[in-house]
Amino acid sequence: MIKKRGKQTVKLESKPKIITTTSIVGPKEAKGPLKDYFDIKLKDELNGEDSYEKTESYMIYTAIMESIKKANLQQEDIDYLVTGDLLNQLTASSFAVRAIDIPYLGIYGACSTMTESLSLASMLIDGGFANYAIAATSSHFVSAERQFRFPLEYGAQRAVTSQWTVTGAGSMLLGKEGNYPYVTHVTIGKVKDYGITDSNNMGAAMAPAAVDTIKQHFQDTGRTPNYYDLIATGDLGKVGMDITNELLKEYGYDVKKNYTDCGYEIFYRDEEGVNAGGSGCGCSAVVDCGYIYKNMLSGKLKKVLLVSTGALLSTTSSLQGESIPGIAHAVAVEY
Amino acid sequence: MIKKRGKQTVKLESKPKIITTTSIVGPKEAKGPLKDYFDIKLKDELNGEDSYEKTESYMIYTAIMESIKKANLQQEDIDYLVTGDLLNQLTASSFAVRAIDIPYLGIYGACSTMTESLSLASMLIDGGFANYAIAATSSHFVSAERQFRFPLEYGAQRAVTSQWTVTGAGSMLLGKEGNYPYVTHVTIGKVKDYGITDSNNMGAAMAPAAVDTIKQHFQDTGRTPNYYDLIATGDLGKVGMDITNELLKEYGYDVKKNYTDCGYEIFYRDEEGVNAGGSGCGCSAVVDCGYIYKNMLSGKLKKVLLVSTGALLSTTSSLQGESIPGIAHAVAVEY
């Protein structure tokens, strides 16, 4: 009795429920077009911590704890925490989790982490291993800039294709029962590398992975783009979104009407420095947990396909002249 | 019908089978006491690649591909690859996997990765999501030293408590059917941090996590140390092993007779530079895939508990004065 449909998709007959979500964002995100959908807003990028890394850790900790509280549960009720982030060795997650008494599965999918963690948490529940599981991730503009590019103090100029890493964390608490938005299908992606070497053009690097996963999801399920009210990639930004639209058309799927990208939506388009849009694990995390989840609860969105997208580079791989592998995982949610 | 036993353990009724394993090691490991158990041996640390990072990527790629070949399967037969490594942003894994056409779940558990990936691969099969899944991980002495401590060229002196990162990769191919060693229980660990800040004493940092997971596994299953022919932690080395023995005794479990540590076993004790023993994701990977798996096949070991152990630090967290959180996941294998 295998749950597989087609080549890469599994159907979750038990429909794991997303019982609560929490989104927490920095001040820039809190002033953006989606500001009304976020739960917690930091007053500044540091929020009273000693370092930006600690602020990021605080955000993911708070997102997780709030989700548990809102669900009227205790830490001991949760069977697994599935989290990860962009920092080397996932320190935002692991330092947050050391203060939480829940078994921990650390994952890394770069900015695809929200749907990777949601996929695994859903499968752990559908497979009978958990009553409750939490999927969460975070990113922070300053900790990401100084790790991947330049410390902000250098005042480096930003490329037109560059994206602005979202300061934010999102957490989804999943369970077996209740009347909540539920996960129906999971499509785990393959690594795709089309030879992009420009780490200021991540949208182009990740788009082929998004296209491959979305196309495969349609083929596996027999669905077409119209099935969904919204298909939301993670952080392709303007550049990657256009590529995704074009490439999916070549496969015979016209998604333009109901497709958007979390990185394209989270900031005002003309805001200084944003350029191609938002990025980072936190980008799809807060848009999925905030805007999309709340619009599902209110009935505005009934069927969505969440497709967080990750660029699997490191500073070492870039310095060694390597191209940027991309990955994307798709999760179908209905209500 | 939840598969949970006690607080943290799940019982896998379908007993996912470890159909093949592959171990690949560097020249130092290939001369060590376990040399006869490894499948592939590199002639030097670079093995003809441009960089040590590429050599590490080559090792994990080769371990995965060999496991598929030995099982007489094709890439398209494998439903999931669950892999990770120590390099920033998991580039050893993701650059290996981009040449492999299998859906990819990147995970990070530092040196606990072998049992984290084995846990997830087993649960994906037991949960009905996969016919075949691969769990794999790697580490490389030179890439790890230059990322976490100093480039070798600096000639830095090694502490007596320091451990030698294993150059090696291990891969396990799991399936639903056949007469092979099989996974019966999985105990996912919690993050434990007892305040150790010395990144040259990882054994002490990880031991409390190993103790917590082993103790919990016994409590959840009602088993005692005697149930197992061998309990093997990942890379605690001499220092962490002694702590583990002592702390488990305080909980009423005397494991001394049938407990060892992969890091303690992989090198000769008097070899220069080894000090407290081996470490790295590759350490428990090659010992589990080589020594332990082969001794199960030959009937010398019937019941083992694999407990890879991870230290969740980064260079940034160490420089910021943070202590080192540890984690350990336990997988019970029988034949």
Side-chain angles (χ1 to χ4, degrees), chain A residues 308-328:
Chain A
S308 301
T309 37
L312 302 169
L313 78 169
S314 78
T315 50
T316 305
S317 71
S318 289
L319 287 170
Q320 290 180 351
E322 281 287 357
S323 53
I324 305 173
I327 193 156

Side-chain angles (χ1 to χ4, degrees), chain A:
Chain A
M1 201 196 64
I2 186 93
K3 294 166 181 176
K4 215 161 160 195
R5 299 289 179 274
K7 282 186 175 172
Q8 276 171 250
T9 303
V10 288
K11 186 176 181 191
L12 308 186
E13 296 286 359
S14 75
K15 297 177 179 167
K17 318 298 182 280
I18 305 175
I19 297 177
T20 62
T21 67
T22 303
S23 55
I24 171 166
V25 296
K28 188 184 181 81
E29 294 73 16
K31 282 183 220 132
L34 305 182
K35 60 175 180 285
D36 296 337
Y37 296 96
F38 301 130
D39 299 314
I40 303 170
K41 293 157 191 179
L42 303 186
K43 62 179 195 306
D44 59 47
E45 293 278 347
L46 204 47
N47 203 52
E49 300 287 339
D50 289 346
S51 71
Y52 299 103
E53 288 76 16
K54 285 185 185 166
T55 313
E56 185 175 343
S57 219
Y58 165 82
M59 286 195 299
I60 189 163
Y61 174 83
T62 305
I64 291 167
M65 296 307 278
E66 272 295 305
S67 295
I68 298 174
K69 198 172 131 193
K70 281 198 256 182
N72 286 317
L73 294 170
Q74 306 296 321
Q75 290 184 40
E76 57 261 38
D77 298 320
I78 315 298
D79 299 298
Y80 299 104
L81 265 178
V82 189
T83 80
D85 58 89
L86 284 173
L87 294 183
N88 295 343
Q89 287 72 55
L90 271 59
T91 48
S93 283
S94 41
F95 282 85
V97 168
R98 72 176 165 179
I100 302 178
D101 195 35
I102 302 174
Y104 168 59
L105 289 159
I107 60 163
Y108 184 77
C111 309
S112 72
T113 303
M114 190 68 248
T115 51
E116 184 181 345
S117 61
L118 176 58
S119 298
L120 281 169
S122 305
M123 291 196 279
L124 286 168
I125 287 174
D126 189 69
F129 305 106
N131 287 312
Y132 297 102
I134 288 177
T137 186
S138 65
S139 56
H140 192 296
F141 174 66
V142 188
S143 64
E145 283 297 310
R146 80 171 169 193
Q147 179 179 282
F148 286 109
R149 296 175 196 94
F150 300 101
L152 292 186
E153 293 81 353
Y154 288 14
Q157 200 166 350
R158 298 173 67 77
V160 285
T161 52
S162 74
Q163 295 173 236
W164 189 280
T165 303
V166 165
T167 297
S171 162
M172 298 185 181
L173 191 157
L174 285 91
K176 293 154 68 95
E177 310 290 344
N179 179 24
Y180 305 101
Y182 50 85
V183 174
T184 67
H185 292 78
V186 166
T187 307
I188 296 297
K190 296 174 179 174
V191 174
K192 295 285 153 183
D193 189 335
Y194 279 34
I196 302 279
T197 54
D198 179 2
S199 66
N200 287 310
N201 192 358
M202 308 267 242
M206 295 186 284
V211 169
D212 189 69
T213 299
I214 294 170
K215 172 211 73 171
Q216 196 60 51
H217 178 82
F218 289 147
Q219 289 178 355
D220 290 347
T221 57
R223 293 176 178 173
T224 59
N226 293 333
Y227 182 85
Y228 292 103
D229 300 323
L230 184 68
I231 298 163
T233 50
D235 58 343
L236 300 179
K238 179 81 182 83
V239 178
M241 210 176 146
D242 290 345
I243 297 172
T244 299
N245 264 315
E246 284 308 308
L247 287 179
L248 277 171
K249 219 179 280 170
E250 285 183 23
Y251 284 111
Y253 297 110
D254 186 354
V255 294
K256 204 148 194 181
K257 269 190 303 182
N258 45 1
Y259 165 52
T260 195
D261 178 76
C262 301
Y264 183 75
E265 299 289 349
I266 193 167
F267 295 121
Y268 288 112
R269 307 290 321 132
D270 54 357
E271 207 174 341
E272 198 193 329
V274 165
N275 300 2
S279 68
C281 301
C283 180
S284 62
V286 300
V287 176
D288 293 353
C289 291
Y291 175 78
I292 293 177
Y293 185 75
K294 289 182 184 176
N295 273 312
M296 295 198 84
L297 286 185
S298 73
K300 272 189 206 148
L301 295 171
K302 289 184 181 14
K303 293 171 180 171
V304 302
L305 188 66
L306 308 176
V307 194
S308 301
T309 37
L312 302 169
L313 78 169
S314 78
T315 50
T316 305
S317 71
S318 289
L319 287 170
Q320 290 180 351
E322 281 287 357
S323 53
I324 305 173
I327 193 156
H329 307 296
V331 180
V333 185
E334 302 196 5
Y335 188 45

